[in-house]
Amino acid sequence: MKTKFNFIFAIILLSIFIIPFFVCTGCKDKSQDVDVILLSGQSNMVGVSERSDLKEVCGEDVYDELVKGYDNIEMCVQIHSPESAFIPFTKYTLGLGTQSDQYFGLEVGICKTLNEYLPNKKIFLIKCAIGGSSIYDHWQKDCYIYQLFEKTIQKSLDYIKSLNYNPKIKAICWMQGESDYGGYEQYYYDCLVNLKTNLTTTFGKYMNNFAFIDTTIQFDGEINEAKKKFALLPNNYYIDTDIMGIVEPNVKGLILGNPMHYNAKSEYLLGQLFGGKLVGLI
């Protein structure tokens, strides 16, 4: 009788302590890889294109789709310099991540394209862009905005991991250079190299073949030449909007007639080009 009791007692102990250990360990090992995309730069990444013109550009059905949003895409936002202005991850819907409901940013075309081609893939976007920022003065390692960028990335990754995902930073979409208008090609190139090096040094364990996707700014050949030169390095890409002829200035934007700011058509199409490049990478 005593032997039978000891056997039953041992089974109970096994069920309480040992089996749950293996079950929990197995759950931990099954963390799902999830793709993370960085969106960064200055005003055209923040978004100063007129939302009132977007429906005519993309069509009513797509516009309604954007308003409804995409369940497979979440985005967090840091578009103002105080860290307290951070907006945590939420389902992407039109209007998320801009200064007001009047405008929209490149994420609109990016999200539309990602959802169209990868509807069942969970994707997290980390948007950290500051209007008027310079790569020389704001996006180098010792600069406040770059440090804010790193903080934004880290707390975002920590949140993703808390959901039992294994975050993989696939790429950065970079839309910047207008504030460095008139700068020297080599200097801007060196700053791009530094920016990517700093990101891969800090977050390398979350990266594998991390891609840097850049694009044209208007009216500055030296800066664009630096971008093209940088794109010759491994895993770097350059979307040449001059060749494609898609960019038109936003004459109704935040600064009236500012040729550096894109209209709704150009912003949406450029976002789709970024998205298309991402689809090929993830």
Side-chain angles (χ1 to χ4, degrees), residues 49-63:
S49 301
E50 294 286 326
R51 180 170 168 177
S52 60
D53 296 331
L54 179 60
K55 185 180 292 188
E56 182 179 350
V57 170
C58 66
E60 187 171 352
D61 289 345
V62 172
Y63 187 87

PDB file of all heavy atoms in Angstrom, residues 49-63:
ATOM      1  N   SER A  49       2.444  65.682 -47.481  1.00  0.00           N
ATOM      2  CA  SER A  49       1.650  65.632 -48.702  1.00  0.00           C
ATOM      3  C   SER A  49       0.168  65.667 -48.340  1.00  0.00           C
ATOM      4  O   SER A  49      -0.254  65.103 -47.327  1.00  0.00           O
ATOM      5  CB  SER A  49       1.967  64.358 -49.489  1.00  0.00           C
ATOM      6  OG  SER A  49       3.342  64.314 -49.829  1.00  0.00           O
ATOM      7  N   GLU A  50      -0.614  66.324 -49.170  1.00  0.00           N
ATOM      8  CA  GLU A  50      -2.010  66.596 -48.844  1.00  0.00           C
ATOM      9  C   GLU A  50      -2.886  65.347 -48.891  1.00  0.00           C
ATOM     10  O   GLU A  50      -3.038  64.715 -49.936  1.00  0.00           O
ATOM     11  CB  GLU A  50      -2.571  67.633 -49.821  1.00  0.00           C
ATOM     12  CG  GLU A  50      -1.928  69.000 -49.705  1.00  0.00           C
ATOM     13  CD  GLU A  50      -2.374  69.741 -48.461  1.00  0.00           C
ATOM     14  OE1 GLU A  50      -3.537  69.575 -48.042  1.00  0.00           O
ATOM     15  OE2 GLU A  50      -1.547  70.497 -47.913  1.00  0.00           O
ATOM     16  N   ARG A  51      -3.463  65.011 -47.745  1.00  0.00           N
ATOM     17  CA  ARG A  51      -4.352  63.853 -47.677  1.00  0.00           C
ATOM     18  C   ARG A  51      -5.618  64.073 -48.511  1.00  0.00           C
ATOM     19  O   ARG A  51      -6.196  63.122 -49.048  1.00  0.00           O
ATOM     20  CB  ARG A  51      -4.715  63.576 -46.221  1.00  0.00           C
ATOM     21  CG  ARG A  51      -5.645  62.390 -46.038  1.00  0.00           C
ATOM     22  CD  ARG A  51      -5.779  62.004 -44.586  1.00  0.00           C
ATOM     23  NE  ARG A  51      -6.860  61.082 -44.360  1.00  0.00           N
ATOM     24  CZ  ARG A  51      -7.162  60.548 -43.179  1.00  0.00           C
ATOM     25  NH1 ARG A  51      -6.434  60.863 -42.123  1.00  0.00           N
ATOM     26  NH2 ARG A  51      -8.166  59.717 -43.051  1.00  0.00           N
ATOM     27  N   SER A  52      -6.049  65.328 -48.644  1.00  0.00           N
ATOM     28  CA  SER A  52      -7.270  65.622 -49.409  1.00  0.00           C
ATOM     29  C   SER A  52      -7.133  65.257 -50.882  1.00  0.00           C
ATOM     30  O   SER A  52      -8.142  65.085 -51.583  1.00  0.00           O
ATOM     31  CB  SER A  52      -7.624  67.103 -49.273  1.00  0.00           C
ATOM     32  OG  SER A  52      -6.570  67.923 -49.765  1.00  0.00           O
ATOM     33  N   ASP A  53      -5.898  65.123 -51.367  1.00  0.00           N
ATOM     34  CA  ASP A  53      -5.667  64.756 -52.770  1.00  0.00           C
ATOM     35  C   ASP A  53      -5.438  63.257 -52.965  1.00  0.00           C
ATOM     36  O   ASP A  53      -5.347  62.788 -54.101  1.00  0.00           O
ATOM     37  CB  ASP A  53      -4.443  65.504 -53.317  1.00  0.00           C
ATOM     38  CG  ASP A  53      -4.652  67.010 -53.347  1.00  0.00           C
ATOM     39  OD1 ASP A  53      -5.807  67.449 -53.487  1.00  0.00           O
ATOM     40  OD2 ASP A  53      -3.657  67.749 -53.210  1.00  0.00           O
ATOM     41  N   LEU A  54      -5.340  62.524 -51.867  1.00  0.00           N
ATOM     42  CA  LEU A  54      -4.932  61.118 -51.966  1.00  0.00           C
ATOM     43  C   LEU A  54      -5.990  60.242 -52.624  1.00  0.00           C
ATOM     44  O   LEU A  54      -5.664  59.360 -53.426  1.00  0.00           O
ATOM     45  CB  LEU A  54      -4.592  60.573 -50.577  1.00  0.00           C
ATOM     46  CG  LEU A  54      -4.168  59.104 -50.501  1.00  0.00           C
ATOM     47  CD1 LEU A  54      -2.917  58.845 -51.349  1.00  0.00           C
ATOM     48  CD2 LEU A  54      -3.908  58.693 -49.039  1.00  0.00           C
ATOM     49  N   LYS A  55      -7.255  60.484 -52.331  1.00  0.00           N
ATOM     50  CA  LYS A  55      -8.317  59.638 -52.885  1.00  0.00           C
ATOM     51  C   LYS A  55      -8.322  59.675 -54.405  1.00  0.00           C
ATOM     52  O   LYS A  55      -8.518  58.656 -55.069  1.00  0.00           O
ATOM     53  CB  LYS A  55      -9.675  60.063 -52.339  1.00  0.00           C
ATOM     54  CG  LYS A  55     -10.815  59.154 -52.772  1.00  0.00           C
ATOM     55  CD  LYS A  55     -12.150  59.616 -52.208  1.00  0.00           C
ATOM     56  CE  LYS A  55     -12.220  59.439 -50.710  1.00  0.00           C
ATOM     57  NZ  LYS A  55     -13.598  59.712 -50.199  1.00  0.00           N
ATOM     58  N   GLU A  56      -8.068  60.848 -54.961  1.00  0.00           N
ATOM     59  CA  GLU A  56      -8.016  60.975 -56.414  1.00  0.00           C
ATOM     60  C   GLU A  56      -6.827  60.211 -56.996  1.00  0.00           C
ATOM     61  O   GLU A  56      -6.905  59.673 -58.109  1.00  0.00           O
ATOM     62  CB  GLU A  56      -7.914  62.450 -56.807  1.00  0.00           C
ATOM     63  CG  GLU A  56      -7.906  62.692 -58.305  1.00  0.00           C
ATOM     64  CD  GLU A  56      -7.818  64.169 -58.663  1.00  0.00           C
ATOM     65  OE1 GLU A  56      -7.963  65.009 -57.752  1.00  0.00           O
ATOM     66  OE2 GLU A  56      -7.599  64.474 -59.850  1.00  0.00           O
ATOM     67  N   VAL A  57      -5.733  60.138 -56.231  1.00  0.00           N
ATOM     68  CA  VAL A  57      -4.515  59.463 -56.690  1.00  0.00           C
ATOM     69  C   VAL A  57      -4.678  57.945 -56.664  1.00  0.00           C
ATOM     70  O   VAL A  57      -4.367  57.253 -57.635  1.00  0.00           O
ATOM     71  CB  VAL A  57      -3.313  59.880 -55.827  1.00  0.00           C
ATOM     72  CG1 VAL A  57      -2.095  59.009 -56.131  1.00  0.00           C
ATOM     73  CG2 VAL A  57      -2.985  61.352 -56.041  1.00  0.00           C
ATOM     74  N   CYS A  58      -5.155  57.411 -55.540  1.00  0.00           N
ATOM     75  CA  CYS A  58      -5.179  55.953 -55.374  1.00  0.00           C
ATOM     76  C   CYS A  58      -6.525  55.319 -55.700  1.00  0.00           C
ATOM     77  O   CYS A  58      -6.611  54.093 -55.849  1.00  0.00           O
ATOM     78  CB  CYS A  58      -4.755  55.580 -53.953  1.00  0.00           C
ATOM     79  SG  CYS A  58      -5.897  56.107 -52.659  1.00  0.00           S
ATOM     80  N   GLY A  59      -7.580  56.117 -55.806  1.00  0.00           N
ATOM     81  CA  GLY A  59      -8.901  55.580 -56.071  1.00  0.00           C
ATOM     82  C   GLY A  59      -9.686  55.379 -54.780  1.00  0.00           C
ATOM     83  O   GLY A  59      -9.116  55.154 -53.715  1.00  0.00           O
ATOM     84  N   GLU A  60     -10.993  55.444 -54.889  1.00  0.00           N
ATOM     85  CA  GLU A  60     -11.845  55.395 -53.697  1.00  0.00           C
ATOM     86  C   GLU A  60     -11.741  54.071 -52.958  1.00  0.00           C
ATOM     87  O   GLU A  60     -11.702  54.041 -51.718  1.00  0.00           O
ATOM     88  CB  GLU A  60     -13.303  55.658 -54.092  1.00  0.00           C
ATOM     89  CG  GLU A  60     -14.228  55.795 -52.900  1.00  0.00           C
ATOM     90  CD  GLU A  60     -15.609  56.273 -53.289  1.00  0.00           C
ATOM     91  OE1 GLU A  60     -15.804  56.646 -54.468  1.00  0.00           O
ATOM     92  OE2 GLU A  60     -16.504  56.263 -52.417  1.00  0.00           O
ATOM     93  N   ASP A  61     -11.681  52.961 -53.691  1.00  0.00           N
ATOM     94  CA  ASP A  61     -11.617  51.655 -53.039  1.00  0.00           C
ATOM     95  C   ASP A  61     -10.342  51.504 -52.220  1.00  0.00           C
ATOM     96  O   ASP A  61     -10.372  51.020 -51.080  1.00  0.00           O
ATOM     97  CB  ASP A  61     -11.709  50.533 -54.071  1.00  0.00           C
ATOM     98  CG  ASP A  61     -13.093  50.411 -54.689  1.00  0.00           C
ATOM     99  OD1 ASP A  61     -14.039  50.993 -54.122  1.00  0.00           O
ATOM    100  OD2 ASP A  61     -13.213  49.751 -55.732  1.00  0.00           O
ATOM    101  N   VAL A  62      -9.200  51.894 -52.797  1.00  0.00           N
ATOM    102  CA  VAL A  62      -7.931  51.800 -52.076  1.00  0.00           C
ATOM    103  C   VAL A  62      -7.921  52.762 -50.900  1.00  0.00           C
ATOM    104  O   VAL A  62      -7.429  52.431 -49.816  1.00  0.00           O
ATOM    105  CB  VAL A  62      -6.739  52.084 -53.023  1.00  0.00           C
ATOM    106  CG1 VAL A  62      -5.436  52.173 -52.238  1.00  0.00           C
ATOM    107  CG2 VAL A  62      -6.640  50.998 -54.083  1.00  0.00           C
ATOM    108  N   TYR A  63      -8.480  53.945 -51.102  1.00  0.00           N
ATOM    109  CA  TYR A  63      -8.537  54.919 -50.012  1.00  0.00           C
ATOM    110  C   TYR A  63      -9.313  54.350 -48.825  1.00  0.00           C
ATOM    111  O   TYR A  63      -8.876  54.440 -47.668  1.00  0.00           O
ATOM    112  CB  TYR A  63      -9.182  56.217 -50.496  1.00  0.00           C
ATOM    113  CG  TYR A  63      -9.139  57.336 -49.483  1.00  0.00           C
ATOM    114  CD1 TYR A  63      -8.036  58.183 -49.399  1.00  0.00           C
ATOM    115  CD2 TYR A  63     -10.199  57.540 -48.599  1.00  0.00           C
ATOM    116  CE1 TYR A  63      -7.990  59.206 -48.470  1.00  0.00           C
ATOM    117  CE2 TYR A  63     -10.166  58.557 -47.660  1.00  0.00           C
ATOM    118  CZ  TYR A  63      -9.057  59.392 -47.605  1.00  0.00           C
ATOM    119  OH  TYR A  63      -9.003  60.403 -46.661  1.00  0.00           O
TER     120      TYR A  63
END
